[in-house]
Amino acid sequence: MHGHRPRTPEADRSRRWFMNKALLAGGVAAVATMTGCSNVSPDSASTSSSSSAAPSGMPSGAPGGMGPGASEVKYADFKGLTTDGTIVDDLYSIHSTDVSTDGIVKAAQAFLDGLSKTQQKATLFDIQADEWLAWSNVDGYEREGVRMGDLTEKQQGLGYALLGKALSADGLTQTRNIMKLNAFLGDYNGGGKETLTEGHYYFTVMGTPSTTKPWGFQYEGHHVAINYFVLGDQVVMTPTFMGSEPTSATYQGEKIVTFKKETTAGLAMLRTLTEAQQAEAISSTAEKSGADMKAGAGADNLELAYEGLKCAELTSAQRQKLLDLVGVYVGYMNSGHAQVRLAEVEDHLDETYFYWIGETKDSSAFYYRVHSPVVLIEYDAQSPLAYGNKDSGGGMGGPNGTPTQQHIHTVIRTPNGGDYGVDLLKLHLENDH
C-alpha cells in the first residue's frame, strides 16, 4: 500500500460488462440444464480465469438483482433509491457519533499491509470508483479485488479480523455461515464449479484507511455483499445483501441455521398488528412469486413507491416490534454504529411503511418490506434454484417456482443518496475541500 495510488476500474469496465452480461444470461439457461457445481478447496483455484467462467446452475441474483449489468449505473450518475425520482434533501449530515472507528481502520491497514504489492494493486480503488456499484449476488459473477481462497492462511486471518471489527459478532457469524452454506451447495450438487466454495469471496478497498478521510471496503460473493463506508467516526453499511440456499444444513459436522431471526422478527411485527392494520399491510393484489425483491444488485437508482401500512399510528409496543425487526438487520454492524443507525431509523418511524406479500404462517414463504426516507429493508423467500427437490430432478424453478424458506434473499439500503456513503462524501468534499 505504501506509496501506491488507488486505481480506477473504468478502463476494464466495458470488458467486464460484456462478460458479466453474457454470464448472467447464460446462468438462466444453465438453470434449465442444471450444470454441476464444485466443492473445490477455497485455496486451490485461481482467481482471474475462474471468476469469469460460466456460472453454476444457480444464478441466485436473478430476478430482482442480476447485477450491475442490469442497469450499469456509474458512480457519477448515482442518485440512490427514491420513491419517485426526487431525492429528499437534508436527511444526512457530517457529525460526530462518539463511536470510534480506530479499530476498523487499524484492521483494514493491517489487512492491506499483509498483501503483496500485486495484491494491493488489485485491491485498491479510488474512493469514488464505479467499483462500489459493481457488486452482485450471483455465484459466477466476475469480480475485482483479492479472492479469499487465494490468500494465505495469515492473510485470510487479517481479512476476517477486518470483518470482525466492522461487523458485530452476529454479523460475522452470519457472513461465515453464508459462505459455509455456499460450499455445502457445491458439495450437494456434485462438482464442477469452484465458485460454490468458502473461498470465492472478494475484498476491495476504496481510498486509504483513515480516521479522518473518507474510505471504505467491499466484501462480496455469492449471497453476500457488504459495502462499508467510513468517514471519521461515521459508518454507512449499505447496501448490504445477505442470502442463502439452503438456509439450513449440516456442513462438515456443523449444524448451520440462517435467517431465523429475520423470519421470526417479520412475523412478530405482522402479528402485533390489529386485523385492520394487517389489512393495510398485507397486499390484497400481489401474490407471492418466486422472486419479489426490488432493490437487489443493479438497482441503485430504483424508484420504489411506499406501500402497505404507514406506521405513524402504531402503539408503543408495535413501534418496538418494528424497531426490533430493523435491529436484526442493522445489528449486523459493529454494535456502537448499529445503535447510531437504529436511532436514525427511529427518528423517521412515523414516515415508515410496512408491507407484506404472501401467507403468514411460521412455515410460509413470504416477502416483507420496511421502507422510510432513511432505510429500506427487503426479505424475500424465493423459489429453489439448486436445493430441495433433488430426488425429483433438482430444485429449479426461478421466478415461476414455488418459494420456500430454504432460499432467502435480504437487503438493507439507505435511500435518498445514502448508499455507499455517497451523500456524506459529497458533503465532505463540498465543505472540506
Side-chain angles (χ1 to χ4, degrees):
M1 143 126 210
H2 307 290
H4 174 70
R5 181 180 177 82
R7 68 191 178 98
T8 58
E10 284 74 11
D12 300 329
R13 197 71 188 278
S14 177
R15 176 184 61 85
R16 287 182 65 199
W17 184 83
F18 282 113
M19 293 185 73
N20 280 324
K21 187 174 182 182
L23 182 155
L24 293 165
V28 176
V31 175
T33 57
M34 191 61 180
T35 55
C37 315
S38 171
N39 58 353
V40 175
S41 164
D43 298 315
S44 64
S46 65
T47 169
S48 59
S49 60
S50 61
S51 63
S52 61
S56 66
M58 314 76 193
S60 304
M66 288 288 283
S71 63
E72 199 63 14
V73 176
K74 304 284 189 179
Y75 189 95
D77 299 324
F78 174 82
K79 177 182 287 188
L81 176 74
T82 61
T83 58
D84 59 4
T86 302
I87 295 175
V88 179
D89 293 325
D90 301 323
L91 290 172
Y92 313 112
S93 65
I94 296 174
H95 61 275
S96 176
T97 65
D98 294 323
V99 181
S100 175
T101 55
D102 288 0
I104 303 169
V105 171
K106 290 176 182 177
Q109 189 61 64
F111 171 69
L112 288 171
D113 287 345
L115 300 179
S116 68
K117 286 190 175 2
T118 299
Q119 289 171 323
Q120 288 175 5
K121 185 176 180 180
T123 306
L124 287 163
F125 289 81
D126 183 79
I127 187 62
Q128 294 176 291
D130 290 342
E131 188 61 28
W132 272 120
L133 285 69
W135 61 271
S136 173
N137 50 285
V138 175
D139 58 326
Y141 196 78
E142 186 190 15
R143 294 176 164 90
E144 299 288 346
V146 287
R147 178 179 178 273
M148 278 292 259
D150 296 324
L151 301 180
T152 66
E153 186 175 344
K154 182 177 180 180
Q155 290 172 326
Q156 287 180 358
L158 292 170
Y160 286 128
L162 170 55
L163 291 176
K165 290 294 184 181
L167 306 178
S168 65
D170 283 348
L172 181 60
T173 297
Q174 173 92 328
T175 301
R176 290 292 291 118
N177 282 344
I178 290 169
M179 295 167 66
K180 291 174 183 177
L181 288 173
N182 187 50
F184 169 88
L185 189 63
D187 293 348
Y188 175 87
N189 282 282
K193 287 303 300 176
E194 58 88 19
T195 62
L196 297 180
T197 67
E198 287 188 64
H200 203 68
Y201 294 83
Y202 288 73
F203 271 109
T204 52
V205 176
M206 286 65 165
T208 302
S210 169
T211 56
T212 56
K213 296 179 181 179
W215 69 281
F217 73 88
Q218 188 179 74
Y219 183 74
E220 60 126 351
H222 190 210
H223 277 143
V224 63
I226 298 167
N227 291 283
Y228 206 97
F229 173 86
V230 181
L231 176 60
D233 61 9
Q234 290 181 267
V235 166
V236 177
M237 198 177 100
T238 63
T240 288
F241 177 102
M242 291 185 174
S244 191
E245 185 188 23
T247 55
S248 61
T250 299
Y251 173 66
Q252 295 186 350
E254 179 185 2
K255 176 63 175 178
I256 299 172
V257 178
T258 56
F259 299 100
K260 188 70 174 177
K261 290 193 297 183
E262 289 86 344
T263 301
T264 56
L267 287 167
M269 174 58 199
L270 184 75
R271 291 169 181 172
T272 196
L273 301 178
T274 66
E275 186 175 337
Q277 288 172 324
Q278 286 191 14
E280 287 189 61
I282 301 172
S283 175
S284 61
T285 57
E287 292 186 10
K288 182 71 187 80
S289 73
D292 291 292
M293 179 173 282
K294 304 296 185 185
D300 284 305
N301 284 353
L302 176 71
E303 294 180 18
L304 184 65
Y306 292 128
E307 293 183 90
L309 172 69
K310 190 173 184 180
C311 297
E313 302 303 320
L314 295 183
T315 67
S316 59
Q318 290 171 331
R319 291 168 74 91
Q320 188 57 55
K321 286 294 184 184
L322 180 58
L323 288 172
D324 290 345
L325 172 56
V326 175
V328 172
Y329 294 84
V330 173
Y332 290 136
M333 298 173 69
N334 171 297
S335 60
H337 296 290
Q339 293 176 22
V340 172
R341 176 67 165 140
L342 197 58
E344 180 181 64
V345 173
E346 187 171 11
D347 286 343
H348 294 269
L349 216 56
D350 287 348
E351 305 163 84
T352 302
Y353 288 75
F354 181 66
Y355 179 60
W356 188 282
I357 300 174
E359 300 297 324
T360 61
K361 298 175 183 176
D362 288 356
S363 59
S364 298
F366 48 78
Y367 166 94
Y368 66 74
R369 181 192 308 160
V370 178
H371 189 184
S372 86
V374 298
V375 72
L376 174 78
I377 291 168
E378 289 187 282
Y379 167 106
D380 190 20
Q382 301 199 339
S383 60
L385 293 179
Y387 179 82
N389 296 322
K390 193 172 185 180
D391 294 337
S392 58
M396 299 167 290
N400 298 319
T402 301
T404 169
Q405 284 191 16
Q406 279 287 33
H407 188 188
I408 290 174
H409 285 188
T410 69
V411 71
I412 179 169
R413 284 183 173 269
T414 307
N416 295 296
D419 279 337
Y420 311 105
V422 172
D423 192 76
L424 289 183
L425 181 60
K426 285 180 179 177
L427 290 171
H428 171 76
L429 295 175
E430 288 171 1
N431 296 329
D432 296 351
H433 294 278

